[in-house]
Amino acid sequence: MKRHFFTFIMFCIAVAAAAQVERPKLIVGLVVDQMRWDYLYYYYDQYGEGGLKRILNEGFSCENHNINYMPTVTAIGHSSTYTGSVPSLTGIAGNNFHKDGKKIYCCDDNTVKGVGSDSKAGKMSPRNMWASTIGDELKLATSFKSKVIGVALKDRASILPAGHAADAAYWYDNSVGHFITSTYYMDRLPEWVEQFNKQNNTKPGFDIKPTNEGVTMTFKMAEAALKNEKLGQRGVTDMLCVSVSSTDAVGHAFGTRGKENYEVYMQLDKDLTAFLNALDSQVGRGNYLLFLTADHGAAHNPNFLNSHKLPGGGWSTGDTKKQVNEALAAKFGVKGDYISDVIDYRLYIDRNFLDANKLDYEKVKAAAIDVLKRDSQFVYVVDFERAAESAMPEFLRERTINGYNRLRSGDIMVVTRPDVLNYTFPRDYRGTNHGAWNPYDAHIPMLFMGWHVRHGSTSEPTFITDVAATVCAMLHIQMPSACIGNAILPVVEQK
């Protein structure tokens, strides 16, 4: 009897000790899609005092923060930020990739239906992602008492950050003009979301993403979730994952310079100011931990660069695919699509085509690599399976290996010259793209502010995979299941 009583007392002490772990009331993850690191300073004098400038002046900035994999695209950037991992381990090999020999979208899930919409836009979930997220680990650490919610215009920018155990992820369906979710999370929208959609909507079919209104809509929805779900106000640590998608859409359409990009960042700064004020009011200044980063950057438009005598050109993936297929047909005597797809610098060999024509995979791959190496646009052509043996600089080799998922990334990767971007463009084209290892695509902001964060900065190298490790270390919770990052010590040790 005494032994049972002693065990009970020890259990109570352990529970009490666990309850005393100090954590913020709320974690806010904010990803600004396509935000180059230099936007912090290029527009600094135009920012107001309460938004980005406030985070810079009050928070801690990692000035040499980079993406340590290729390709640098939205789905991977969001998943890597919140899992602390890379495509080789998360399964998220791109916005689009091949799974079981078929091209899929990163969040495709035909086992679910839309909630708030009957369109294909609702058939989404995080099931293609193998790893857990910060929010998943927070839920495990609090016996699932924490709430975790994702908000973005893009589905992948809401779903992947929020993780598998999220209470909700909301994204915008242009076909109906409002926020939706899927049956992965719930069977019907909460009443507050239905009310929000009635009061805040756009005409069905209108694409809100490449507009300043898209920035405002995102923050309004995030603030509505904060208020109606009482995030950070329930006696347990909650998490809100917000991604601003309009900055990416505007950049793709209008480039990294000019009126449109300036205006969308001014709108971001204005709406961020209001959002921070709402956090101060509802959760309390110093009671929330906020981090702000990007999923990738963007290259300057080649026409813009050329006009200033700077090198810049474009690569046609379609032309490369045709060139390789024609060369292989001539070599092996069989016409067809040896290369079935080119996605984000990666070439997919059609195994079914090879099997049907009794062609040797290794010989075809070697021949394809030989053809690609003759193209002066490419500084390296890599056999993914032998990437560790490639004669590349070590940092490129590491990024190649990190970005290669054996089941989903294809067979060959090309590395273009720094002045060759992965798109073609007419002379009047103003937009941009991203996806490469270069600093214009891979050097991104990383700011922390709020709970136990003092003002400062570091120029020591940090990586996108370090974000999850840092947040989890500050909260004293386990890192996500595939995390390979390290806690950023100047941030964690402030605590």
Side-chain angles (χ1 to χ4, degrees):
M1 183 70 179
K2 289 183 178 179
R3 188 176 68 182
H4 290 311
F5 179 75
F6 177 77
T7 300
F8 175 75
I9 292 297
M10 293 304 293
F11 173 77
C12 291
I13 291 172
V15 170
Q20 293 172 8
V21 173
E22 188 182 7
R23 293 180 181 132
K25 293 181 178 181
L26 178 67
I27 308 158
V28 180
L30 179 57
V31 177
V32 183
D33 203 321
Q34 203 188 111
M35 185 176 184
R36 293 166 51 108
W37 166 81
D38 59 356
Y39 288 164
L40 289 174
Y41 303 103
Y42 184 72
Y43 295 123
Y44 183 84
D45 291 343
Q46 284 77 48
Y47 293 141
E49 296 299 320
L52 286 162
K53 191 179 288 188
R54 172 185 167 184
I55 300 175
L56 274 169
N57 292 341
E58 290 184 14
F60 191 92
S61 178
C62 300
E63 294 288 290
N64 190 13
H65 192 71
N66 286 272
I67 294 172
N68 54 347
Y69 55 75
M70 294 183 280
T72 49
V73 296
T74 296
I76 306 178
H78 283 82
S79 59
S80 291
T81 297
Y82 285 87
T83 64
S85 196
V86 291
S88 63
L89 298 173
T90 66
I92 300 300
N95 296 335
N96 300 282
F97 47 83
H98 285 214
K99 177 183 176 183
D100 301 326
K102 296 180 180 179
K103 186 175 181 178
I104 69 161
Y105 175 67
C106 58
C107 293
D108 275 346
D109 188 349
N110 288 326
T111 70
V112 302
K113 296 180 181 179
V115 176
S117 169
D118 294 326
S119 75
K120 189 182 185 302
K123 294 183 177 182
M124 303 288 165
S125 85
R127 286 193 172 111
N128 288 320
M129 183 169 65
W130 300 335
S132 66
T133 62
I134 301 170
D136 292 333
E137 296 300 328
L138 177 63
K139 282 206 165 257
L140 284 164
T142 62
S143 298
F144 297 90
K145 294 175 184 175
S146 296
K147 283 186 180 181
V148 178
I149 293 175
V151 172
L153 298 184
K154 291 182 181 178
D155 49 67
R156 59 188 180 272
S158 174
I159 291 169
L160 298 175
H164 300 273
D167 296 272
Y170 301 108
W171 58 95
Y172 210 83
D173 183 353
N174 290 331
S175 71
V176 293
H178 61 234
F179 280 97
I180 66 168
T181 188
S182 80
T183 52
Y184 178 88
Y185 304 97
M186 61 192 73
D187 294 325
R188 62 167 295 171
L189 291 173
E191 185 177 343
W192 71 264
V193 177
E194 291 183 345
Q195 285 298 119
F196 180 91
N197 283 340
K198 288 179 181 178
Q199 297 167 9
N200 303 272
N201 56 72
T202 55
K203 183 179 179 181
F206 171 72
D207 187 1
I208 193 175
K209 291 186 185 71
T211 69
N212 293 344
E213 182 185 355
V215 179
T216 303
M217 185 72 79
T218 302
F219 278 110
K220 288 176 73 173
M221 181 62 173
E223 188 173 339
L226 175 73
K227 177 181 178 181
N228 289 281
E229 297 289 350
K230 300 188 183 303
L231 300 178
Q233 304 163 61
R234 304 180 311 105
V236 64
T237 302
D238 295 319
M239 185 165 193
L240 178 59
C241 309
V242 184
S243 182
V244 180
S245 306
S246 292
T247 43
D248 179 72
V250 169
H252 277 296
F254 302 105
T256 59
R257 292 291 185 264
K259 178 175 71 72
E260 294 84 0
N261 200 62
Y262 166 80
E263 289 177 348
V264 78
Y265 275 90
M266 293 305 102
Q267 190 67 54
L268 167 69
D269 187 56
K270 178 181 177 181
D271 292 336
L272 177 59
T273 298
F275 183 61
L276 293 177
N277 289 339
L279 289 169
D280 289 345
S281 173
Q282 296 179 46
V283 182
R285 196 170 182 131
N287 289 329
Y288 58 89
L289 171 64
L290 179 142
F291 64 84
L292 183 149
T293 188
D295 53 347
H296 55 75
H300 292 306
N301 176 277
N303 291 321
F304 166 77
L305 292 173
N306 296 163
S307 70
H308 293 279
K309 299 182 180 180
L310 290 165
W315 164 45
S316 169
T317 58
D319 287 349
T320 292
K321 178 183 174 183
K322 180 181 178 183
Q323 176 190 3
V324 175
N325 281 333
E326 288 178 351
L328 295 180
K331 181 177 180 64
F332 294 103
V334 181
K335 290 185 178 181
D337 284 343
Y338 293 76
I339 304 299
S340 62
D341 213 347
V342 183
I343 307 175
D344 300 325
Y345 302 93
R346 301 165 302 181
L347 285 75
Y348 290 79
I349 295 175
D350 190 337
R351 304 291 187 96
N352 292 328
F353 172 78
L354 300 193
D355 291 343
N357 291 280
K358 298 181 180 180
L359 294 165
D360 183 85
Y361 167 72
E362 291 295 338
K363 290 181 179 179
V364 168
K365 180 168 60 171
I369 289 172
D370 184 59
V371 173
L372 291 164
K373 282 185 174 179
R374 298 176 204 164
D375 192 329
S376 63
Q377 295 180 105
F378 310 132
V379 289
Y380 297 104
V381 180
V382 183
D383 178 343
F384 264 136
E385 284 289 345
R386 295 178 175 84
E389 305 165 17
S390 297
M392 296 190 294
E394 183 178 351
F395 74 93
L396 277 181
R397 189 162 52 246
E398 178 187 12
R399 282 158 174 75
T400 301
I401 293 170
N402 286 345
Y404 172 52
N405 186 284
R406 183 178 64 83
L407 300 174
R408 297 179 174 182
S409 291
D411 307 275
I412 301 167
M413 188 194 74
V414 295
V415 179
T416 57
R417 299 191 327 244
D419 61 325
V420 177
L421 310 179
N422 66 332
Y423 61 100
T424 54
F425 51 93
R427 289 189 174 183
D428 60 349
Y429 179 68
R430 297 176 55 202
T432 188
N433 207 348
H434 53 84
W437 66 268
N438 309 76
Y440 46 73
D441 283 350
H443 186 195
I444 54 176
M446 184 66 249
L447 306 171
F448 294 89
M449 189 189 81
W451 183 79
H452 286 179
V453 176
R454 293 194 299 270
H455 176 57
S457 66
T458 180
S459 292
E460 289 294 315
T462 60
F463 299 98
I464 193 170
T465 48
D466 296 336
V467 181
T470 302
V471 174
C472 290
M474 294 182 76
L475 270 59
H476 294 291
I477 64 176
Q478 185 58 276
M479 293 183 290
S481 59
C483 184
I484 64 168
N486 297 296
I488 301 169
L489 295 182
V491 178
V492 173
E493 289 177 348
Q494 292 182 18
K495 187 173 178 296

